[in-house]
Amino acid sequence: MPNKGTLKVGWWKRFRNFIKAHINLVNIIAAALLVEVVSGVMYYSAQDIIHRTVEKLIDREMNAIYLCIRNKLAQVEVAVDNMSWVVTEGLEEPEWMFDITRRMVKNNPSFWGSGVAFIPNYYPNKDKFFEPYAVRRGQDSIVTMQLGSDGVDHTMDEYYRIPFTQEKAHWSEPYTDIVGAKTVITTYGVPVRDEKNRTIGVVYADIAIDWLKDVMEEGRMYQSTQRFLIAGNGHLMAGEDNATFQAAMKLVNNDDDKTGYETMDDAKGEKQHVFFHPVGGKTDWVLISVCNDEEIFGKLRTVRYTLLSLIGMGLLLLGFIVVRAKRNLERLRMVNAEKDRIGSELRVASQIQQSMLPHSHLKHDDVDIFGSLVPAREVGGDLYDYFIRDEKLFFCIGDVSGKGSPSAMVMGVIHSLFRAFSAHENNPARIMQAINESACQGNDTNIFVTMFIGVLDLPTGHLRYCNAGHDAPMIIRGEGQEVRGERIVQIPVQPHLPVGVFNDVKYDIQEIHLQPDNTLFLYTDGLTEAMNKEHKQFGMDRVEAVLGTCVGMQPEDILQTITQAVQQFVANAEQSDDLTMLAIHYTPVRRESVYEEQLTLQNNVRQVKQLNAFVKQVVGELQIETSLAKQLQLAIEEAVVNVMEYAYPSGETGDVTIKMASDGSVLRIQIIDAGVYFDPTSKEKTDIDIPVQDRQIGGLGILLVRELMDSINYERLNQLNILSLTKKYKSL
């Protein structure tokens, strides 16, 4: 009888003999199992890739809809906000309100209707519920009416009640207006205040919501995609009220911030993907997008079942393996091609990003600037910018959190915001405030930006600046300007939060004076935190030491010296962060005056005759030719009258001093008053190409001065408003 050891050896021998005899079958089975495992992994990987791609595409679709809706609403908001100021100016003429509402509807195609709802009995001689209203009737007809009455109490309506009680702008929930608009509308209302800052009514605009249906149908990636737009109270504004909508609403209502992605089964048991996100702005609307799972992954499942069938066909296994190998090789080639394409696109993106920055070198009569930006990757998140407007140098430097493409995109946005907001604003704190409020909108990724903004008045050296969590700039004093033996000093900065953290941060302005031959050096933390292979940082001490050797150098030489010092320190270590530097050398041109005269008048336009006689005397003594003399007289008169009318409060008497000086080729005029802060250069240029009735009130006077003079500049120094004008001339 065989023992257990003999049986064990016999079993193993038979197994090995079977393997040897059927080695090809074993190889085929092993290959089939391997292919099955590989196909399963590839299926779920592909499913994950498709899922993430769909999320990104749906997000782009929804963003496009957001932008379309927000642009539409923003046009209404801007027009109504501006209209509230016009209404405030015309409160003494109630009948004018009908004309205002009619013009608003006529000039704004988005408006279905517009009105001004006053508090009861605001005008004793008018109806108790005085509410001038204009509405479209047909394509080209606009009808004005008195909408309020004892039976139509607008104070109980949402479009009036919330802006009036909460004293802020508000979009109402959609409703059917059977009296005025006679359709389904939503209304944007803004409180109106009188000269004593009392809220005395609401100015508003109605827009019909039927346009939303067209917006919701545009650009659908899948035919079965269903989109819904709901108001804060759950009212369906666009889309079909069906079982899918009701099921999606339950998911949205269970989410506190109305933002997210969920899956659900519809009434037929089919899986649905639900994306939802608030439209934002001043509305509480929510956009919902529902996609069918079968339409997204159906083709992928079909491919998998086909592959499984092929794998089951043993006779075709080897051919299948060859085909799969060829497919893998093709995929590898495509991946390499895709990598090359991405690399090429990143290089183009880097070139585009560099083109957004100003020229690295600017040489001006009063300032010499040089900047450099070296990204750690193909694209970076640092930025700097500068430009000169109205004899002022506007400049900034910033550092976006993170690296790579996301930071580069934010950098482009912040750069554009700086250009846009500083085009008509001279206060760096207000510019920073506006940038922060815009950057906080939709900042779900919590990317923030440290930033420094400065405005340097070139004639005086007066520097106003605002810092948002950025490294404090340094001043390199010129020869003989040492203070207690120090030539390198750090300017004081307040510890404000960076841009993009909270939208209610209040930024303060700071001021210093730059002396001639001072150099302002700005940088990002890529300088101080540059690391060598031992992970030691370059540090602030080394920065100050290198700057100490740069006294008397030009900005370009300063940046080259610091760059060389950093390169020697880090040696062959990989660059860890973007390195950005900006040097501003203040070199004001001092002109000796050969002629000076001045005249002091009271803020009374009746004294313009004295002004004209004074100007006539000056241009005569300077022997300025007649046509230019008339231009000077017109520009100076316009500027002085502008100051007389607006610098001092109504009824208050004050002085306006006009100083005129010449160096023989340039005439400089200064208009000085001690009134309230009044910067005429901050007004946006009036577009003279649009019809007169469509232009905003004011702005033509300062436009005339800009056209006639070579430069115009405003500064507020020592509680004085100083408006400076210059004009080149040739004596007869």
Side-chain angles (χ1 to χ4, degrees):
M1 181 177 179
N3 56 31
K4 293 182 178 180
T6 303
L7 292 174
K8 184 176 182 181
V9 171
W11 176 85
W12 177 247
K13 185 176 181 181
R14 288 195 298 272
F15 177 74
R16 287 190 301 172
N17 292 336
F18 178 84
I19 295 296
K20 291 179 179 179
H22 303 87
I23 186 64
N24 293 331
L25 177 62
V26 172
N27 288 335
I28 292 174
I29 294 174
L33 292 175
L34 179 61
V35 171
E36 173 61 18
V37 172
V38 171
S39 67
V41 173
M42 291 179 63
Y43 170 78
Y44 289 107
S45 299
Q47 187 180 50
D48 181 62
I49 293 172
I50 292 174
H51 188 275
R52 284 183 289 167
T53 303
V54 168
E55 285 189 359
K56 292 180 180 179
L57 293 175
I58 293 296
D59 185 63
R60 291 179 183 176
E61 287 184 10
M62 297 177 76
N63 281 335
I65 297 176
Y66 298 155
L67 291 175
C68 183
I69 296 176
R70 285 302 308 140
N71 287 340
K72 180 89 169 182
L73 299 183
Q75 293 174 8
V76 176
E77 291 168 3
V78 170
V80 177
D81 291 343
N82 291 334
M83 181 180 174
S84 66
W85 290 102
V86 177
V87 171
T88 300
E89 295 294 328
L91 289 175
E92 295 181 0
E93 299 180 34
E95 292 299 326
W96 189 45
M97 301 302 163
F98 291 94
D99 184 57
I100 292 176
T101 58
R102 182 181 183 88
R103 288 170 58 189
M104 287 299 292
V105 175
K106 179 180 180 182
N107 295 335
N108 294 274
S110 300
F111 287 14
W112 187 265
S114 178
V116 186
F118 291 90
I119 60 177
N121 295 319
Y122 179 73
Y123 291 106
N125 298 328
K126 296 294 181 181
D127 292 331
K128 176 181 178 180
F129 299 100
F130 186 58
E131 186 177 2
Y133 182 77
V135 64
R136 296 185 187 277
R137 293 284 190 259
Q139 184 174 2
D140 299 318
S141 176
I142 299 175
V143 178
T144 58
M145 65 185 74
Q146 159 54 27
L147 195 61
S149 66
D150 291 337
V152 182
D153 182 1
H154 56 246
T155 62
M156 305 301 295
D157 294 329
E158 179 188 354
Y159 73 85
Y160 176 95
R161 187 180 68 256
I162 292 181
F164 183 85
T165 57
Q166 298 182 7
E167 296 189 352
K168 65 177 183 180
H170 174 70
W171 279 100
S172 72
E173 299 292 344
Y175 64 98
T176 301
D177 183 2
I178 62 175
V179 179
K182 297 183 179 181
T183 186
V184 180
I185 60 173
T186 180
T187 301
Y188 177 73
V190 177
V192 177
R193 297 177 177 84
D194 61 11
E195 60 183 4
K196 296 182 180 180
N197 203 31
R198 297 176 303 185
T199 303
I200 51 87
V202 172
V203 58
Y204 63 87
D206 301 330
I207 62 171
I209 66 173
D210 52 0
W211 63 274
L212 291 171
K213 297 178 182 178
D214 296 332
V215 174
M216 299 289 286
E217 291 298 320
E218 293 178 355
R220 291 191 302 174
M221 182 173 61
Y222 298 107
Q223 292 183 354
S224 64
T225 299
Q226 300 184 59
R227 293 175 180 157
F228 311 96
L229 182 66
I230 61 172
N233 62 355
H235 180 90
L236 180 61
M237 302 177 66
E240 182 181 353
D241 188 357
N242 52 27
T244 301
F245 169 69
Q246 298 297 333
M249 278 297 298
K250 294 180 181 179
L251 298 177
V252 175
N253 290 333
N254 291 332
D255 193 286
D256 292 335
D257 59 2
K258 310 300 183 192
T259 303
Y261 158 76
E262 298 287 348
T263 59
M264 68 177 188
D265 293 330
D266 62 10
K268 298 180 181 179
E270 295 180 353
K271 185 177 179 181
Q272 305 287 337
H273 299 263
V274 183
F275 304 84
F276 48 95
H277 195 286
V279 173
K282 299 178 181 178
T283 71
D284 56 0
W285 302 352
V286 179
L287 178 63
I288 305 173
S289 185
V290 181
C291 302
N292 184 275
D293 181 84
E294 181 61 25
E295 189 170 14
I296 297 175
F297 298 108
K299 292 183 179 180
L300 179 63
R301 296 191 183 100
T302 301
V303 171
R304 188 191 182 211
Y305 297 146
T306 302
L307 290 177
L308 289 176
S309 299
L310 292 175
I311 293 171
M313 299 170 65
L315 296 177
L316 301 177
L317 180 61
L318 293 178
F320 175 74
I321 293 175
V322 172
V323 171
R324 293 293 297 179
K326 292 178 65 177
R327 289 182 180 178
N328 288 336
L329 289 174
E330 180 63 18
R331 288 176 182 172
L332 181 60
R333 185 192 66 78
M334 294 176 63
V335 168
N336 290 332
E338 182 69 10
K339 288 176 63 177
D340 293 339
R341 184 187 65 82
I342 293 174
S344 176
E345 290 181 354
L346 285 175
R347 287 189 293 271
V348 173
S350 176
Q351 295 173 0
I352 294 174
Q353 186 181 38
Q354 290 292 331
S355 68
M356 294 175 63
L357 301 175
H359 293 295
S360 60
H361 192 197
L362 171 65
K363 184 70 174 179
H364 188 266
D365 289 344
D366 299 308
V367 72
D368 187 3
I369 307 174
F370 196 86
S372 70
L373 190 157
V374 182
R377 299 181 181 176
E378 289 85 352
V379 290
D382 281 6
L383 72 141
Y384 72 87
D385 195 10
Y386 56 79
F387 66 93
I388 295 175
R389 173 175 66 80
D390 294 336
E391 292 193 300
K392 288 181 173 61
L393 172 66
F394 294 77
F395 62 93
C396 73
I397 191 169
D399 185 0
V400 182
S401 61
K403 300 179 182 68
S405 299
S407 297
M409 295 175 66
V410 174
M411 171 267 187
V413 172
I414 297 298
H415 177 271
S416 299
L417 290 174
F418 170 75
R419 281 280 176 158
F421 291 128
S422 59
H424 304 290
E425 176 59 62
N426 296 338
N427 187 324
R430 293 178 184 171
I431 298 173
M432 190 78 76
Q433 191 84 31
I435 293 175
N436 180 61
E437 291 174 358
S438 297
C440 287
Q441 294 182 6
N443 186 12
D444 298 330
T445 57
N446 297 319
I447 294 179
F448 61 87
V449 186
T450 66
M451 197 170 184
F452 181 94
I453 298 177
V455 179
L456 175 62
D457 185 66
L458 298 179
T460 63
H462 183 215
L463 173 64
R464 294 179 294 168
Y465 60 92
C466 181
N467 186 61
H470 199 78
D471 295 298
M474 313 289 289
I475 293 180
I476 306 174
R477 294 193 176 104
E479 295 289 346
Q481 296 180 349
E482 300 91 339
V483 176
R484 293 187 294 275
E486 295 182 354
R487 285 188 173 177
I488 311 299
V489 294
Q490 193 176 69
I491 71 172
V493 295
Q494 295 185 11
H496 294 129
L497 287 176
V499 167
V501 179
F502 299 112
N503 61 4
D504 57 352
V505 177
K506 185 180 184 302
Y507 293 96
D508 297 320
I509 190 171
Q510 294 179 264
E511 303 179 32
I512 62 172
H513 269 82
L514 288 186
Q515 299 298 323
D517 204 31
N518 278 181
T519 299
L520 187 65
F521 176 72
L522 304 95
Y523 59 95
T524 60
D525 58 10
L527 173 60
T528 55
E529 297 178 4
M531 290 187 294
N532 57 18
K533 290 186 177 181
E534 288 75 31
H535 298 286
K536 293 182 179 180
Q537 294 185 347
F538 191 69
M540 196 64 207
D541 291 340
R542 289 187 177 88
V543 173
E544 293 182 357
V546 176
L547 288 177
T549 66
C550 297
V551 175
M553 289 186 180
Q554 296 302 310
E556 182 176 1
D557 297 330
I558 293 174
L559 267 57
Q560 288 180 353
T561 300
I562 296 177
T563 301
Q564 292 174 359
V566 172
Q567 291 174 347
Q568 292 176 359
F569 175 78
V570 300
N572 296 325
E574 182 180 359
Q575 183 177 345
S576 59
D577 198 1
D578 303 334
L579 175 58
T580 303
M581 296 178 290
L582 183 65
I584 302 172
H585 186 203
Y586 181 49
T587 57
V589 177
R590 302 300 182 189
R591 297 180 174 88
E592 296 294 333
S593 296
V594 298
Y595 179 88
E596 292 183 359
E597 287 291 345
Q598 75 175 48
L599 173 67
T600 300
L601 304 173
Q602 289 188 339
N603 58 328
N604 187 338
V605 293
R606 295 180 179 178
Q607 297 193 0
V608 171
K609 291 183 178 180
Q610 300 179 39
L611 172 66
N612 290 336
F614 172 69
V615 175
K616 186 175 182 180
Q617 171 195 335
V618 172
V619 297
E621 293 180 2
L622 293 177
Q623 296 183 347
I624 298 176
E625 56 96 8
T626 304
S627 61
L628 179 57
K630 290 181 179 180
Q631 292 180 13
L632 289 170
Q633 185 164 359
L634 181 58
I636 296 170
E637 178 182 329
E638 186 65 39
V640 172
V641 170
N642 203 20
V643 171
M644 286 180 172
E645 290 181 345
Y646 299 110
Y648 293 96
S650 179
E652 182 176 321
T653 301
D655 291 339
V656 179
T657 299
I658 302 92
K659 295 183 177 180
M660 301 180 69
S662 170
D663 62 357
S665 61
V666 176
L667 179 62
R668 294 183 173 272
I669 304 102
Q670 284 189 329
I671 304 170
I672 305 170
D673 67 84
V676 298
Y677 175 86
F678 171 63
D679 181 6
T681 66
S682 63
K683 287 187 67 65
E684 187 173 351
K685 290 186 177 180
T686 299
D687 187 353
I688 61 175
D689 294 328
I690 62 177
V692 174
Q693 63 272 19
D694 296 336
R695 298 180 198 162
Q696 293 184 347
I697 298 173
L700 288 175
I702 198 64
L703 173 64
L704 177 64
V705 176
R706 286 184 184 276
E707 292 296 327
L708 295 178
M709 305 303 293
D710 292 336
S711 69
I712 177 171
N713 180 34
Y714 168 83
E715 272 295 292
R716 178 78 174 179
L717 294 175
N718 301 322
Q719 302 302 314
L720 295 177
N721 295 312
I722 304 176
L723 181 64
S724 301
L725 315 174
T726 64
K727 185 68 176 180
K728 293 181 180 180
Y729 72 93
K730 292 182 179 180
S731 300
L732 295 175

